[in-house]
Structures are given as C-alpha cells and as structure tokens.
Amino acid sequence: MQIDILTLFPKICEGALAESIMKRAREKRLAEVRVHNIRDWATGKHLVADDTPYGGGQGMVMKCEPIFAAVEALRTPESKVILMTPAGRRFQQCDAARFALDSHLILLCGHYEGIDQRVIDHLVDEELSIGDYVLTNGAIAALVVTDAVVRLIPGVLGDEQSAADDSFSDGLLEYPHYTRPVEFRGWRVPDVLLSGHHGEIAKWRRQKALKKTEKNRPDLLDGK
Ligand code: ADE
C-alpha cells in the first residue's frame, strides 16, 4: 500500500517513519510512505501556502491552489483523500482496519486556523480527528493514522496474532502482561501465568481485560 502525507512540516514526520516497525515495513516495501511539503506546489515568488480569512478573524487559512495541485499530482482513481483536522470524525481502530485494505491513502495535514472550505467540499473524501484536543498541526495526527494502518498490513508485524490481541480488536482493552523476573521488589507475577494451564490463563486474561475495560473505558461495554 502507498501512503502520501502532505504537510507544511515534513521534518515532523521523518523520525517516526525511520524507526522500528514503520521503518521495517517500508524497507520490506509492504508500505510505501512518502512525505511531501505542500509548499513545493505553491507558486509565486514567496511560495505562499496560506492567507488571511475572508470575512475577517484571527489566524491564517491554508490556500486552495497548492493543495489541489499536490493532490491532483499524486492521486489515482484508487486514492482516498483524508484531511486530518480536529473538526473531523473520531479516528478509530475500525477505520485503521478499513484503510489497511486500501491501496492508496493521501493524508492531508491541516494547519493554522483551518483550510479553505473548497478543499473539503471538492477534494477530500473523509475528515478525521485523532481525539478531542487541538494539536498545532495535522502532521502528528497523520503519523498516528499511518502507524495504526501500517501495523495492520499483513506481514508487517512479526507475529500475525499480535494485532488480533490488541486492545479494541475484540472490543475490550488488553489484559496485563508480565515478563521475567518472576519477582520484582516483592511483586510477584500471578501464579496462573506460571501454571502452564492454557485454559485457566485464557480465562484469567479475559477477566482482567473485562476489569480493565470497566475501570478505564466503561463506554466500550455499553450494549455488551
Ligand atoms: N490537527 C490539529 N488537531 C488535530 C486532531 N485532534 N486530529 C487531527 N488533526 C488535528
């Protein structure tokens, strides 16, 4: 799959894409992630990508022309164009799973006060937010979406089971994990995990996952 990130701040993305699982996925060509500077499609002496809002008000608005030029240069009939914005629908694990089946995502990062509405009306397929808070720009949000999608591409995670065990994949948060040593500062690993009894371990994990979900995200249990 191919992901093109369009941002005014490409350097924000570089570190995250050059480490760990994202790095490996790119090296194995399971995910081709490219980062582009929207300013590369700006024209005029000063390569301006933003301007003051019609009607007055604070801040700057991202201009149509460079964004249309960038998306039109990159998109194919299969592309999905997603705008990262705090005004979008909340991004969830099911969106990541849906996008992992797409062949091409273009993640457009907002900045400043916003983006010219004509981009949203005529270029963008979906507006997504990563949560109810406002970041300084959409690049970090685009990285969040990229990471969540790339790890679901078959072959990216070493152990295929590890994505299936995730928090959210079965509607519950994940159960607790332990590794060596068996005792640390007097705190022991629960005996059941040392028992080798797979049925009991599965039962314990399910109970713990339920308890954790009740405590941290009771909303996930509504209607269960
Ligand atoms: N840009 C700024 N804040 C954002 C958010 N919460 N989600 C997506 N893009 C954003």
Side-chain angles (χ1 to χ4, degrees), residues 1-3 16-33 146-147 149-158:
M1 104 171 296
Q2 187 178 323
I3 300 179
L17 296 171
E19 293 287 341
S20 181
I21 287 170
M22 293 241 263
K23 176 184 180 199
R24 246 196 9 238
R26 295 173 82 195
E27 283 171 355
K28 288 205 263 174
R29 318 215 80 178
L30 295 167
E32 301 228 16
V33 186
T146 301
D147 189 293
V149 171
V150 165
R151 65 187 289 287
L152 295 181
I153 297 171
V156 166
L157 294 183

Side-chain angles (χ1 to χ4, degrees), residues 84-86 110 128-138 141:
M84 303 313 308
T85 164
L128 287 184
S129 163
I130 59 162
D132 293 344
Y133 38 79
V134 180
L135 304 167
T136 53
N137 69 81

